[in-house]
Amino acid sequence: MASNIQFTGLNTSRVLPIPNPSSHFPSKMLQFASFRTANPSSVICSLTRDPSYVAPLEEHAKTSNGSVLLQRPDSFGRFGKFGGKYVPETLMHALTELEHAFHALSADEDFQRELAGILKDYVGRESPLYFAERLTEHYKRANGEGPHIYLKREDLNHTGAHKINNAVAQALLAKKLGKKRIIAETGAGQHGVATATVCARFGLECIIYMGAQDMERQALNVFRMRLLGAEVRAVHSGTATLKDATSEAIRDWVTNVETTHYILGSVAGPHPYPMMVREFHAVIGKETRKQALEKWGGKPDVLIACIGGGSNAMGLFHEFVDDKDVRLIGVEAAGFGVDSGKHAATLTKGEVGVLHGAMSYLLQDEEGQIVEPHSISAGLDYPGVGPEHSFLKDLGRAEYHSITDEEALEAFKRVSRLEGIIPALETSHALAYLEKICPTLPNGTKVVVNFSGRGDKDVQTAIKYLKV
Amino acid sequence: MAWCKLQGAIVSCHSRTRHELTDEKGASSRLLEVVQPVVTRETIKIMLPELTIAYVPSTQIVESKPLPIPTSDSGKFGRFGGKFVPETLVACLNQLELHFENALRDQLFQAELAVALRDYVGRETPLYHAERLSEYYKSMNNGKGPDIYLKREDLSHTGSHKMNNALAQSMIAKRMGCKSVVTATGSGQHGLATAAACAKLGLDCTVFMAAKDMQRQSSNVRLIKLLGAQVEKVEGGFKDAASEAFRYWVGDLERNYHLTGSAVGPHPCPAMVREFQSVIGKETRIQALEKWGGKPDVVVACVGTGSNALGLFHEFIDDRDVRLIGVEAGGMGLESGAHSSSLTTGEVGVYHGAITYLLQDQDGQVIQPHSIAAGMEYPGVGPELSFLKESGRAEFCVANDQEALHAYERLCKLEGIVPSLEAAHALAILDKLVPTLHNGSKVVVNCSGRGDKDAATVFNRGLFDEE
């Protein structure tokens, strides 16, 4: 079809950057570029949901067992209309190089073996799937019926959260790419600490961008990052918080793209980050499937995870997206309430726009300016959300709800007292949702909550509010 | 009732033990005069001056006669250990021993414990090859040096090896029908582990902690309170907190269970703690076999009271080709007197119910020990370790505060692992140990805890200010 050939040319040029005579290209990419038929200076970009040349996007292709097969993302880096690569031209090459490296290393057995070894011996995987007996008892109804609650213990990982799965893999990837310098942004410091940790482990130079306001509130985390050998740079622009730190980090990357790899902490950002970060966290879901089979001979019925950027949720959900009998529930931060204007419930209250390189739901005002979100938990305090979550929401495959600060604090206290595990305030949001959903679940339903992090870092905040 | 007879047997053997000592040692019968049957502040604190001065350390290992009770362990490790407690407590300890023995033999209990250790605590903990740390030492010696492995007890739930014991003993407390658990803690790690285990099992928990420890490990205090446990402040140091916990326990023996955090105290406590911590060594053996097809050549652990060390060492005691090295806290230096090196500079005495090495002055008063690491600050040490020292099976050395701090920083920068200041002592000894080892030897260091709790201490020491 004529239009197909047209698209072919278009697709190829969208995947590869327009060659600039002064920039250096690996030779195989130049070869590929010669397939282009159109004049380099007159390439037209258009958003399209049509199948691409390289990999077809079949949103509802049925497989033999009737489950729906979703191709996520397509070769554009899109999940439906979300995602993409809205970045300055100087970064396009780096992103493509990253994507190629990622695909090459995914198939590389040595790399996979090395990564598996590090996840096992350094990070401490596999993390257990823990049957929360007292929590299950707590949710039993008067007649003794209720769901069975399991916790996927990402809090037991080295550094105390799921973040390290991605940090470790990206650091290893950067090393294979020959990059010696790593940059990252951080809000409360968790992702910064995880990045500083892996840089120390792999002997890489590490620079962390952090909003000046955040640095003041999290002095101990700043000290920790420095202890691990990282340089922490204060960002004073804007509101001096996470979104400004992210912008600064992107600016640094644009300037130093040849020597530097940017470890993005979540499934947000330009393609290939959402896909890469999801793949690196997908180990969570893979282990869960295996452990569920071992423990009760079946699959989970409901998966619950908190959503800030969405990485821990994608890590758990991804394995089960094609299993239509598994319910996927994401829980965002409602802060003071979704109608208060002080929250971070992007998928509930946001509108579609472009932030940090990707099209996704985000919290913006009428002029398209980013609204400063609020949540008691710093990790959920992000005005955007990963594009894949936006896609799953629109598709109706996953449900998204929100929990207020107060409800999260209650859950924090409840789980600490009932199970002796102190959850991170982020995780507490997912745990708080149990209050709402358990009464509706039939007897014996298997619920798996992603226990994404431990709460040691939140003790000061919690004590202040709970008056313990 | 069977246990009454048991009590009778124990009581008589108890005095028989004393009698034995008098006969074989030639120590004066003042021993019998001085030991008081009644518990008072004085009797717990006062040492036995005559005992220590008149007691000539023997190089001979005293073998106790086999005792007519269904335990494999008589409670003595050579001449160390024992059950030096008031008569009122002997019955309790016997009951505890019985429950302990039963639990060990009960398949159901063992299965439950194994599942809890796997799913709740996160075992098995990895044996991690610290490549960059090994490289660091190799680079100072022409590329030659040992391979250093870290046993990652820092990855356990609550961040230290303490959970292995706290969980198992809490399960025993529940079996015994106790409703409340009482314990003492130094660094807060054991208190934290106990509070977590009690929350999981639905038991009340009271933790005694010294005022100064509460201050320097305040993050742990907050965590303990969040878990629903009571924290009681005690003036003095960890040893005073331990004594208070003991006293609180005695106040209501029916309801309370005294959970020892470490391998000290009267029998069966040291044996129990060692048994539950021995999972560390067992896993290490299997992992060493998987990783390099052999055994470790050297195992190193820090020694405060001795639980993590015994947990690692116990498995390898009969393997004479495995060197066991314990590292005590040198505090501000041995000459300064402000340290906690009981095995290196202490003398033998009776403390908290057992014969062991301890730090005491000329009047037999217990010296207040010091270390930058709260968990190492104990004037005594586990009797089993005293035995291993005297029999020459294990070697003990000392690392001071400065060396520990440097080791702490080094591991952060080279491996991205933040060790506890306690574990940092074990790591500090590598500086002196590594040059003496041949190329390719396998060293396993017990990374007994994570150091998030110590970040504030390190911060305040100002050693890591920006230039």
Side-chain angles (χ1 to χ4, degrees):
Chain A
M1 219 159 71
S3 54
N4 259 355
I5 298 166
Q6 180 91 25
F7 278 138
T8 303
L10 212 67
N11 292 351
T12 327
S13 66
R14 268 328 260 146
V15 165
L16 296 172
I18 295 158
N20 179 339
S22 64
S23 71
H24 47 89
F25 260 65
S27 53
K28 51 185 172 184
M29 284 166 82
L30 274 168
Q31 253 181 298
F32 203 26
S34 66
F35 285 133
R36 285 193 304 102
T37 50
N39 188 326
S41 58
S42 64
V43 163
I44 309 151
C45 303
S46 63
L47 288 174
T48 173
R49 280 177 139 229
D50 285 3
S52 76
Y53 171 69
V54 177
L57 173 70
E58 294 158 300
E59 280 175 11
H60 293 96
K62 292 238 182 262
T63 59
S64 53
N65 61 4
S67 68
V68 173
L69 188 71
L70 296 165
Q71 180 67 36
R72 302 162 282 118
D74 63 14
S75 59
F76 280 164
R78 291 197 188 285
F79 304 89
K81 68 174 176 189
F82 301 105
K85 260 185 206 178
Y86 296 86
V87 293
E89 282 304 319
T90 25
L91 286 182
M92 291 296 281
H93 167 59
L95 290 174
T96 313
E97 186 189 41
L98 197 53
E99 187 179 354
H100 281 260
F102 172 72
H103 285 304
L105 290 173
S106 298
D108 181 349
E109 271 185 35
D110 284 335
F111 177 84
Q112 291 303 327
R113 207 176 309 123
E114 203 184 330
L115 182 58
I118 293 169
L119 286 174
K120 176 166 176 275
D121 286 346
Y122 186 66
V123 176
R125 299 211 76 90
E126 45 177 77
S127 56
L129 185 64
Y130 168 70
F131 177 50
E133 207 178 316
R134 289 192 80 202
L135 206 56
T136 301
E137 268 312 303
H138 174 79
Y139 289 115
K140 280 210 161 98
R141 300 182 271 270
N143 58 2
E145 295 193 341
H148 296 162
I149 301 173
Y150 290 79
L151 306 174
K152 181 62 175 155
R153 301 291 300 279
E154 293 297 299
D155 63 299
L156 290 175
N157 293 343
H158 183 43
T159 65
H162 70 292
K163 295 252 173 239
I164 193 142
N165 299 328
N166 171 55
V168 123
Q170 285 205 42
L172 202 57
L173 185 87
K175 234 188 157 182
K176 298 290 179 202
L177 282 174
K179 310 274 184 176
K180 298 258 178 342
R181 191 172 171 267
I182 302 286
I183 59 174
E185 85 298 338
T186 190
Q190 274 309 101
H191 175 60
V193 170
T195 306
T197 300
V198 301
C199 288
R201 167 68 184 77
F202 291 108
L204 300 163
E205 185 190 345
C206 182
I207 292 143
I208 309 282
Y209 286 94
M210 195 169 179
Q213 265 236 36
D214 287 334
M215 279 178 77
E216 254 181 62
R217 298 187 279 193
Q218 305 284 332
L220 202 55
N221 268 344
V222 174
F223 174 65
R224 263 196 203 108
M225 289 184 256
R226 289 184 173 142
L227 201 56
L228 291 161
E231 182 192 334
V232 184
R233 288 194 191 161
V235 175
H236 295 277
S237 51
T239 48
T241 53
L242 176 59
K243 58 173 177 59
D244 310 287
T246 311
S247 306
E248 196 59 43
I250 292 178
R251 234 167 269 140
D252 180 315
W253 198 29
V254 170
T255 319
N256 298 300
V257 87
E258 263 134 55
T259 56
T260 306
H261 176 67
Y262 178 21
I263 295 192
L264 231 162
S266 197
V267 283
H271 182 68
Y273 280 104
M275 173 192 71
M276 256 174 56
V277 176
R278 175 197 75 197
E279 283 309 314
F280 291 143
H281 281 305
V283 61
I284 303 175
K286 289 187 185 115
E287 284 177 6
T288 304
R289 187 190 282 282
K290 191 180 71 121
Q291 290 163 328
L293 206 61
E294 270 169 22
K295 285 187 153 37
W296 64 81
K299 289 185 285 198
D301 297 307
V302 185
L303 299 176
I304 307 181
C306 61
I307 308 255
S311 59
N312 92 86
M314 261 348 281
L316 182 62
F317 293 176
H318 183 61
E319 177 70 15
F320 298 99
V321 168
D322 296 330
D323 291 80
K324 276 296 183 154
D325 48 347
V326 179
R327 259 175 93 178
L328 309 176
I329 300 181
V331 184
E332 293 187 299
F336 292 150
V338 285
D339 296 315
S340 68
K342 291 218 153 295
H343 62 85
T346 319
L347 290 164
T348 309
K349 285 294 202 170
E351 283 156 24
V352 179
V354 175
L355 177 65
H356 295 146
M359 176 166 291
S360 187
Y361 278 98
L362 55 118
L363 296 172
Q364 53 189 320
D365 64 17
E366 288 135 354
E367 278 143 24
Q369 293 305 303
I370 305 297
V371 166
E372 191 69 40
H374 164 78
S375 169
I376 194 176
S377 66
L380 302 186
D381 212 350
Y382 183 61
V385 75
E388 193 163 1
H389 283 294
S390 302
F391 177 56
L392 291 176
K393 173 193 156 82
D394 273 9
L395 209 56
R397 176 63 188 94
E399 316 158 37
Y400 295 92
H401 304 276
S402 58
I403 285 289
T404 63
D405 288 352
E406 223 178 286
E407 291 168 322
L409 282 164
E410 278 307 310
F412 179 97
K413 189 168 158 192
R414 188 183 314 122
V415 176
S416 301
R417 299 272 160 105
L418 286 179
E419 292 291 346
I421 313 172
I422 300 179
L425 281 173
E426 292 79 8
T427 312
S428 304
H429 284 73
L431 293 163
Y433 192 67
L434 287 171
E435 290 284 294
K436 309 214 163 126
I437 196 176
C438 287
T440 72
L441 295 173
N443 191 29
T445 314
K446 305 290 187 200
V447 179
V448 173
V449 181
N450 206 9
F451 209 97
S452 51
R454 62 176 186 248
D456 300 38
K457 61 184 179 66
D458 297 314
V459 162
Q460 300 263 36
T461 313
I463 294 222
K464 190 167 80 168
Y465 286 92
L466 294 174
K467 297 189 178 45
V468 165
Chain B
M1 262 204 293
W3 69 264
C4 273
K5 279 197 198 151
L6 212 63
Q7 179 188 2
I10 294 292
V11 168
S12 65
C13 99
H14 185 57
S15 37
R16 207 193 306 153
T17 312
R18 277 191 237 159
H19 190 62
E20 266 176 356
L21 277 167
T22 317
D23 282 350
E24 278 158 357
K25 283 269 131 319
S28 71
S29 56
R30 276 175 283 176
L31 171 59
L32 286 165
E33 288 165 19
V34 173
V35 173
Q36 310 276 345
V38 174
V39 183
T40 65
R41 185 169 226 101
E42 274 59 53
T43 53
I44 290 213
K45 283 198 172 163
I46 286 184
M47 282 306 97
L48 308 166
E50 294 90 336
L51 178 68
T52 53
I53 293 172
Y55 212 166
V56 177
S58 150
T59 44
Q60 250 187 322
I61 312 297
V62 178
E63 230 100 44
S64 318
K65 290 196 210 118
L67 303 157
I69 40 169
T71 51
S72 52
D73 208 351
S74 60
K76 297 302 286 295
F77 305 94
R79 63 179 174 129
F80 299 101
K83 220 184 248 190
F84 292 83
V85 291
E87 290 298 324
T88 34
L89 291 179
V90 174
C92 254
L93 289 174
N94 297 341
Q95 204 191 16
L96 180 60
E97 191 173 351
L98 197 61
H99 280 275
F100 171 54
E101 290 293 316
N102 283 343
L104 285 185
R105 278 186 284 243
D106 182 353
Q107 301 274 38
L108 202 59
F109 178 86
Q110 290 302 325
E112 243 181 78
L113 180 60
V115 169
L117 284 174
R118 184 194 63 188
D119 289 349
Y120 185 65
V121 182
R123 298 210 76 87
E124 44 175 78
T125 54
L127 186 64
Y128 166 69
H129 182 203
E131 272 172 39
R132 289 195 79 209
L133 190 63
S134 309
E135 270 314 304
Y136 167 77
Y137 286 113
K138 282 183 184 168
S139 67
M140 298 193 292
N141 190 23
N142 290 329
K144 292 209 208 319
D147 294 321
I148 301 170
Y149 289 78
L150 303 176
K151 183 60 174 154
R152 301 290 300 280
E153 291 299 301
D154 61 299
L155 291 176
S156 289
H157 181 43
T158 65
S160 76
H161 69 292
K162 294 283 181 196
M163 197 51 160
N164 303 329
N165 170 58
L167 182 66
Q169 284 205 47
S170 302
M171 286 171 69
I172 291 186
K174 202 159 186 202
R175 261 166 89 91
M176 285 169 73
C178 295
K179 294 281 179 298
S180 144
V181 168
V182 61
T183 191
T185 188
S187 63
Q189 285 302 114
H190 171 64
L192 184 55
T194 308
C198 288
K200 175 189 185 335
L201 297 168
L203 300 166
D204 290 334
C205 180
T206 311
V207 177
F208 285 86
M209 198 168 177
K212 68 166 179 170
D213 287 338
M214 281 179 75
Q215 211 220 351
R216 60 179 165 169
Q217 308 276 240
S218 55
S219 57
N220 272 350
V221 176
R222 276 173 284 202
L223 291 169
I224 296 174
K225 287 186 178 157
L226 276 169
L227 290 167
Q230 284 288 100
V231 180
E232 298 289 343
K233 196 195 310 212
V234 176
E235 292 306 323
F238 168 59
K239 60 178 184 57
D240 307 289
S243 305
E244 276 302 321
F246 211 68
R247 223 165 282 136
Y248 184 91
W249 173 47
V250 170
D252 190 346
L253 293 167
E254 282 290 313
R255 193 173 181 273
N256 291 338
Y257 178 93
H258 179 245
L259 212 161
T260 23
S262 196
V264 297
H267 183 68
C269 301
M272 279 178 77
V273 174
R274 180 252 289 150
E275 181 58 39
F276 294 133
Q277 293 292 0
S278 63
V279 61
I280 303 176
K282 290 186 182 115
E283 285 178 4
T284 304
R285 186 191 283 283
I286 297 173
Q287 290 162 329
L289 207 59
E290 267 170 22
K291 283 185 160 18
W292 65 80
K295 289 183 285 197
D297 296 305
V298 189
V299 295
V300 185
C302 65
V303 176
T305 41
S307 61
N308 92 87
L310 281 170
L312 182 59
F313 292 176
H314 187 69
E315 178 69 14
F316 299 103
I317 287 181
D318 294 329
D319 293 78
R320 289 285 160 160
D321 48 346
V322 179
R323 263 176 88 181
L324 312 176
I325 299 182
V327 186
E328 291 191 292
M332 303 207 258
L334 290 180
E335 314 74 38
S336 71
H339 61 83
S340 302
S341 310
S342 332
L343 287 163
T344 314
T345 60
E347 285 157 21
V348 180
V350 175
Y351 191 52
H352 284 153
I355 296 182
T356 186
Y357 276 94
L358 71 127
L359 294 171
Q360 51 192 323
D361 64 18
Q362 289 145 335
D363 300 319
Q365 294 305 304
V366 177
I367 296 175
Q368 186 72 253
H370 163 80
S371 170
I372 194 176
M376 308 272 276
E377 253 188 20
Y378 185 66
V381 75
E384 190 166 355
L385 283 176
S386 300
F387 173 62
L388 289 176
K389 174 191 159 83
E390 209 166 67
S391 61
R393 178 63 188 96
E395 310 158 43
F396 293 93
C397 35
V398 164
N400 61 32
D401 288 352
Q402 278 296 100
E403 292 168 331
L405 282 164
H406 285 299
Y408 180 100
E409 190 198 14
R410 192 181 313 130
L411 198 68
C412 288
K413 293 227 160 57
L414 287 178
E415 295 288 351
I417 300 173
V418 182
S420 60
L421 281 172
E422 291 80 11
H425 283 76
L427 291 159
I429 210 66
L430 290 173
D431 281 357
K432 302 197 180 108
L433 177 67
V434 162
T436 70
L437 297 174
H438 66 262
N439 191 26
S441 44
K442 309 291 185 200
V443 180
V444 173
V445 181
N446 206 6
C447 193
S448 51
R450 60 174 185 248
D452 302 54
K453 62 182 177 69
D454 299 313
T457 306
V458 172
F459 185 70
N460 291 331
R461 284 287 280 233
L463 285 180
F464 304 104
D465 283 333
E466 293 290 286
E467 284 101 47

